[in-house]
Amino acid sequence: MTLAERLTRKVTLEIGPRSTIRVLFTHAALIDLEEMTGLSAVSGEFDFWAPPARLIRDAILVLAQHQGLDVQPAEIARAVGFTGLGRACERLREGWIASMARKEAAPRSSKPQKKAEPLTWPELWAEQRANLGMSDQEWLAITPRLAQELSKANLEKTRRRELLLSRIGATIANFSMHPPKEPLRDDAHMVHPWERDKEQLDEPESILRSLLPFVNEESKGAIREVVESGN
Amino acid sequence: MKWSNLEIRNNAYALAFDFNALCDAETFVGRNLLAAFSVLGTDRLTAGDLRGLLYAAIRIDAGMPKEPDKLLEFCGGLMLPDTIGDIVMALGEAYALAVSDEEAERYRAKMRAAEEEADPAPIRQVTLPELIPELSPSDEFDPPVA
């Protein structure tokens, strides 16, 4: 049993009376499914909520082949049958949800969020290979959900390292011969601040307050007025 | 396989659905035909979807073209304003015969409801004065007032 099989919710699909397959979409399975259907998984073109019959057949075929079954498309369709289409679709949908990355809540910010372009498979592979230190085989064998969890853990590790360095930088600046009038926060030099801190920094009031040490008395008065009035 | 019958212009056709045939038809016509089942019998069904479903379901009998593109054209030729209703009902019946009994019963009820909803009201006989109320035979030929 692979790591992905162990760590992902078990969803199975019976194909005919004798064979049962595990519905698990690893990176390898997704890339093969893309090649077979001509649709893009990373752009969200696999719609298991209103799938065409061919996507159902091809997905079952790829999953069966990845589990070592030697089957042809026509055999899959015969084994599932027209009556089994609804059930197959339901199981594929459950397996898809269990395997794919969770949608993360967008950070609350005063700035309008630009919609990110979907990454391509080479970009995803390069990013995860470089940052997560996985071998090619390991990457192919895991699901997007597991890769997402690894990325989250890696980000947290990076943030803790950044916080340590940022504390040193802030301490040096705050206790230097010319310290800033408003002491720097210990996370002021973090490249990847935690979302709650980033939110505060994005607020217009926070941005205006951060300007206070660098402006003359007249401007300070104007800034305080604006911050207090909330406009 | 259970077949549903369709009669158009005194010609009989047999229709049935099969997973493999549906996949091949989707590849050829480039449409999501499985999704088209959910709108069969409603005004959201497009002519392309209907032709695709007919192409996927029709049995190739003697005298019918075997080449996919010609068969698709043949299916399109069967779709006329007065035959579309029969085609939709025959496709619905073919679907009901291909799925489980409970699903078939649900589907037949849905088709009946759609049919009742789509049934046009009888055309009422109207007379000329009713159509143009301001014009009546008595004043039609009155000379214009000087």
Side-chain angles (χ1 to χ4, degrees):
Chain A
M1 195 184 256
T2 65
L3 181 80
E5 284 171 344
R6 280 176 195 277
L7 298 183
T8 308
R9 192 166 70 83
K10 193 172 180 182
V11 180
T12 56
L13 171 66
E14 283 172 18
I15 316 172
R18 277 175 309 202
S19 303
T20 300
I21 59 160
R22 179 82 189 260
V23 184
L24 181 75
F25 292 95
T26 60
H27 287 136
L30 287 169
I31 292 168
D32 286 350
L33 189 56
E34 274 197 353
E35 201 180 316
M36 195 175 278
T37 58
L39 300 170
S40 164
V42 282
S43 305
E45 288 176 0
F46 289 155
D47 181 2
F48 284 105
W49 276 257
R54 205 188 138 191
L55 177 62
I56 297 175
R57 186 183 68 176
D58 290 351
I60 298 171
L61 180 66
V62 165
L63 294 173
Q65 284 174 348
H66 274 261
Q67 285 161 45
L69 296 178
D70 183 22
V71 281
Q72 297 301 313
E75 289 174 60
I76 293 284
R78 265 198 302 276
V80 174
F82 202 83
T83 46
L85 262 174
R87 174 88 180 139
C89 183
E90 195 181 293
R91 305 307 283 171
L92 286 172
R93 200 180 301 148
E94 282 176 37
W96 181 261
I97 293 168
S99 306
M100 299 309 284
R102 278 189 189 141
K103 196 174 177 185
E104 287 179 344
R108 281 186 301 146
S109 167
S110 51
K111 281 190 229 163
Q113 296 293 308
K114 198 179 160 193
K115 202 179 171 193
E117 285 287 312
L119 295 175
T120 62
W121 279 117
E123 284 168 339
L124 266 176
W125 164 80
E127 191 202 315
Q128 293 175 352
R129 177 98 160 72
N131 293 336
L132 308 178
M134 278 187 286
S135 71
D136 294 343
Q137 284 312 311
E138 283 168 340
W139 184 77
L140 284 170
I142 64 166
T143 61
R145 167 71 62 85
L146 293 183
Q148 182 190 32
E149 292 303 326
L150 269 176
S151 295
K152 273 158 69 178
N154 185 55
L155 178 62
E156 190 61 26
K157 198 169 117 186
T158 308
R159 280 173 171 161
R160 286 177 189 178
R161 209 165 41 224
E162 284 176 2
L163 180 63
L164 282 179
L165 292 171
S166 176
R167 268 185 189 158
I168 295 169
T171 308
I172 292 171
N174 290 341
F175 292 95
S176 65
M177 288 177 71
H178 297 286
K181 295 215 170 122
E182 292 277 328
L184 292 177
R185 288 165 51 118
D186 59 358
D187 58 357
H189 299 112
M190 279 180 74
V191 183
H192 304 93
W194 278 275
E195 285 302 337
R196 56 179 184 277
D197 299 333
K198 208 172 147 204
E199 264 173 45
Q200 287 166 7
L201 287 174
D202 285 346
E203 294 298 323
E205 291 83 3
S206 307
I207 296 167
L208 286 173
R209 266 195 214 102
S210 67
L211 292 173
L212 284 172
F214 309 104
V215 296
N216 59 28
E217 285 305 315
E218 197 183 332
S219 305
K220 271 181 193 170
I223 288 173
R224 282 198 186 100
E225 233 173 74
V226 171
V227 171
E228 277 158 25
S229 69
N231 295 316
Chain B
M1 190 175 273
K2 294 173 189 166
W3 297 88
S4 136
N5 296 315
L6 170 67
E7 199 178 311
I8 295 174
R9 308 270 189 272
N10 297 324
N11 290 317
Y13 303 96
L15 309 178
F17 283 109
D18 159 68
F19 190 3
N20 257 326
L22 196 65
C23 291
D24 295 343
E26 276 185 347
T27 309
F28 184 65
V29 302
R31 283 172 180 274
N32 183 346
L33 297 179
L34 198 54
F37 282 117
S38 59
V39 292
L40 194 63
T42 71
D43 57 1
R44 285 185 292 146
L45 182 74
T46 65
D49 285 341
L50 186 62
R51 188 177 69 157
L53 285 175
L54 186 58
Y55 169 81
I58 203 162
R59 187 175 67 195
I60 305 174
D61 290 331
M64 284 167 66
K66 288 187 177 60
E67 300 81 9
D69 52 341
K70 287 191 180 145
L71 182 62
L72 187 66
E73 210 180 300
F74 177 82
C75 291
L78 296 178
M79 289 164 53
L80 300 165
D82 61 329
T83 60
I84 284 179
D86 292 340
I87 293 173
V88 168
M89 291 310 290
L91 286 171
E93 189 53 31
Y95 176 80
L97 290 171
V99 295
S100 63
D101 291 345
E102 306 102 71
E103 173 66 23
E105 197 39 58
R106 242 192 341 261
Y107 198 77
R108 283 192 181 111
K110 190 180 142 192
M111 290 293 287
R112 274 196 298 272
E115 195 188 13
E116 277 161 23
E117 203 175 301
D119 202 16
I123 297 167
R124 194 165 56 91
Q125 290 292 321
V126 286
T127 55
L128 186 66
E130 211 179 332
L131 274 176
I132 316 166
E134 66 272 25
L135 189 74
S136 64
S138 58
D139 57 11
E140 195 177 358
F141 304 106
D142 276 356
V145 179

Coordinates of all heavy atoms in Angstrom, one line a residue, chain A residues 50-54 56-57 74 77 80-83 85, chain B residues 17 19-20 22-24 26-27 32 34 95 98-100:
Chain A
A50 N -20.9 17.3 -13.5 CA -21.8 17.0 -14.7 C -20.8 16.5 -15.8 O -20.6 17.1 -16.8 CB -22.4 18.3 -15.2
P51 N -20.3 15.3 -15.6 CA -19.3 14.8 -16.5 C -19.8 14.2 -17.8 O -20.9 13.6 -17.8 CB -18.6 13.6 -15.7 CG -19.7 13.1 -14.8 CD -20.6 14.3 -14.5
P52 N -19.1 14.3 -18.9 CA -19.5 13.5 -20.1 C -19.2 12.0 -19.8 O -18.4 11.7 -19.0 CB -18.6 14.1 -21.2 CG -17.5 14.9 -20.5 CD -17.9 15.1 -19.1
A53 N -19.9 11.2 -20.5 CA -19.7 9.7 -20.3 C -18.3 9.3 -20.6 O -17.7 8.5 -19.9 CB -20.7 9.0 -21.3
R54 N -17.7 10.0 -21.5 CA -16.3 9.6 -21.9 C -15.3 9.9 -20.7 O -14.4 9.1 -20.5 CB -15.9 10.3 -23.2 CG -14.8 9.6 -23.8 CD -14.2 10.2 -25.0 NE -12.7 10.0 -24.9 CZ -11.8 10.6 -25.6 NH1 -12.2 11.5 -26.4 NH2 -10.6 10.3 -25.4
I56 N -16.0 9.7 -17.6 CA -16.2 8.7 -16.6 C -15.4 7.4 -17.0 O -14.7 6.8 -16.2 CB -17.7 8.4 -16.4 CG1 -18.4 9.6 -15.9 CG2 -17.9 7.2 -15.5 CD1 -19.9 9.4 -15.8
R57 N -15.6 7.0 -18.3 CA -14.9 5.8 -18.8 C -13.4 6.0 -18.7 O -12.7 5.1 -18.2 CB -15.4 5.5 -20.2 CG -14.8 4.2 -20.7 CD -15.2 4.0 -22.2 NE -14.5 4.9 -23.1 CZ -14.7 4.9 -24.4 NH1 -15.4 3.9 -25.0 NH2 -14.1 5.7 -25.2
A74 N -13.4 -0.4 -23.9 CA -14.7 -1.0 -24.1 C -15.1 -2.0 -23.0 O -16.3 -2.1 -22.6 CB -14.7 -1.8 -25.4
A77 N -16.5 0.0 -20.1 CA -17.9 0.5 -20.3 C -18.8 -0.7 -20.2 O -19.9 -0.5 -19.6 CB -18.0 1.1 -21.7
V80 N -19.1 -1.6 -16.3 CA -19.9 -0.6 -15.5 C -21.3 -0.6 -16.0 O -22.3 -0.6 -15.2 CB -19.2 0.8 -15.6 CG1 -20.1 1.9 -14.9 CG2 -17.9 0.8 -15.0
G81 N -21.5 -0.6 -17.3 CA -22.9 -0.6 -17.9 C -23.6 0.7 -17.8 O -23.2 1.6 -17.0
F82 N -24.6 0.9 -18.5 CA -25.4 2.2 -18.5 C -26.0 2.4 -17.1 O -26.1 3.5 -16.6 CB -26.4 2.2 -19.6 CG -26.8 3.5 -20.0 CD1 -26.1 4.3 -20.9 CD2 -28.0 4.1 -19.5 CE1 -26.5 5.6 -21.2 CE2 -28.4 5.3 -19.8 CZ -27.7 6.1 -20.7
T83 N -26.5 1.3 -16.5 CA -27.1 1.3 -15.2 C -26.2 1.8 -14.1 O -26.6 2.3 -13.1 CB -27.8 0.0 -14.8 OG1 -26.8 -1.0 -15.1 CG2 -29.0 -0.3 -15.6
L85 N -23.7 3.9 -14.4 CA -23.1 5.2 -14.7 C -23.2 6.2 -13.5 O -22.3 6.8 -13.1 CB -23.8 5.9 -15.9 CG -23.0 5.7 -17.2 CD1 -23.8 6.3 -18.3 CD2 -21.7 6.4 -17.1
Chain B
F17 N -29.7 2.8 -25.5 CA -28.5 3.5 -25.0 C -27.5 2.4 -24.4 O -28.0 1.5 -23.7 CB -28.8 4.5 -24.0 CG -29.4 5.8 -24.6 CD1 -30.7 6.1 -24.5 CD2 -28.5 6.6 -25.3 CE1 -31.2 7.3 -25.1 CE2 -29.0 7.7 -26.0 CZ -30.3 8.1 -25.8
F19 N -23.3 2.4 -22.7 CA -22.2 3.3 -22.2 C -21.2 3.5 -23.3 O -20.7 4.6 -23.6 CB -21.6 2.6 -21.0 CG -20.7 3.4 -20.2 CD1 -20.4 4.8 -20.5 CD2 -20.0 2.9 -19.1 CE1 -19.5 5.5 -19.8 CE2 -19.1 3.6 -18.3 CZ -18.9 5.0 -18.7
N20 N -20.8 2.4 -24.0 CA -19.7 2.5 -25.0 C -20.1 3.4 -26.2 O -19.4 4.2 -26.6 CB -19.4 1.1 -25.6 CG -18.1 0.6 -25.0 OD1 -17.2 1.4 -24.7 ND2 -18.0 -0.7 -24.7
L22 N -22.3 5.7 -26.2 CA -22.5 7.0 -25.7 C -21.1 7.7 -25.7 O -20.9 8.9 -26.1 CB -23.1 7.1 -24.4 CG -23.7 8.4 -23.9 CD1 -24.8 8.9 -24.8 CD2 -24.1 8.3 -22.4
C23 N -20.1 7.0 -25.2 CA -18.7 7.6 -25.2 C -18.2 7.9 -26.6 O -17.6 8.9 -26.9 CB -17.7 6.6 -24.5 SG -18.0 6.3 -22.8
D24 N -18.4 6.9 -27.5 CA -18.0 7.1 -28.9 C -18.7 8.3 -29.5 O -18.1 9.1 -30.3 CB -18.2 5.8 -29.7 CG -17.3 4.7 -29.2 OD1 -16.4 5.0 -28.4 OD2 -17.6 3.5 -29.5
E26 N -20.0 10.9 -28.0 CA -19.5 12.1 -27.4 C -18.2 12.5 -28.1 O -18.0 13.7 -28.4 CB -19.3 11.9 -25.9 CG -20.5 12.1 -25.1 CD -20.3 12.0 -23.6 OE1 -19.2 11.6 -23.2 OE2 -21.2 12.4 -22.8
T27 N -17.3 11.6 -28.3 CA -16.1 11.9 -29.0 C -16.3 12.4 -30.4 O -15.7 13.4 -30.8 CB -15.2 10.6 -29.1 OG1 -15.2 10.0 -27.8 CG2 -13.8 10.9 -29.5
N32 N -21.3 17.0 -24.5 CA -21.6 16.2 -23.3 C -23.0 15.7 -23.3 O -23.9 16.3 -22.9 CB -21.4 17.1 -22.0 CG -21.5 16.4 -20.7 OD1 -22.0 15.3 -20.7 ND2 -21.1 17.1 -19.6
L34 N -24.2 13.0 -21.8 CA -24.8 12.5 -20.6 C -25.5 13.7 -19.9 O -26.6 13.5 -19.3 CB -23.6 12.0 -19.7 CG -24.0 11.2 -18.5 CD1 -24.8 10.0 -18.9 CD2 -22.7 10.7 -17.8
Y95 N -33.9 5.7 -22.8 CA -33.1 6.0 -21.5 C -33.8 5.2 -20.4 O -33.1 4.5 -19.6 CB -33.1 7.5 -21.2 CG -32.4 7.8 -19.9 CD1 -31.1 7.9 -19.9 CD2 -33.2 8.0 -18.8 CE1 -30.4 8.2 -18.7 CE2 -32.6 8.3 -17.6 CZ -31.2 8.4 -17.5 OH -30.6 8.7 -16.3
A98 N -32.9 1.7 -20.4 CA -31.4 1.4 -20.1 C -31.1 1.5 -18.7 O -30.0 0.9 -18.3 CB -30.6 2.3 -21.0
V99 N -31.8 2.2 -17.9 CA -31.5 2.4 -16.5 C -32.3 1.5 -15.5 O -33.1 0.7 -16.0 CB -31.6 3.9 -16.0 CG1 -30.7 4.8 -16.8 CG2 -33.1 4.4 -16.2
S100 N -32.0 1.6 -14.2 CA -32.7 0.8 -13.2 C -34.2 1.1 -13.2 O -34.6 2.2 -13.6 CB -32.1 0.9 -11.9 OG -32.3 2.3 -11.4

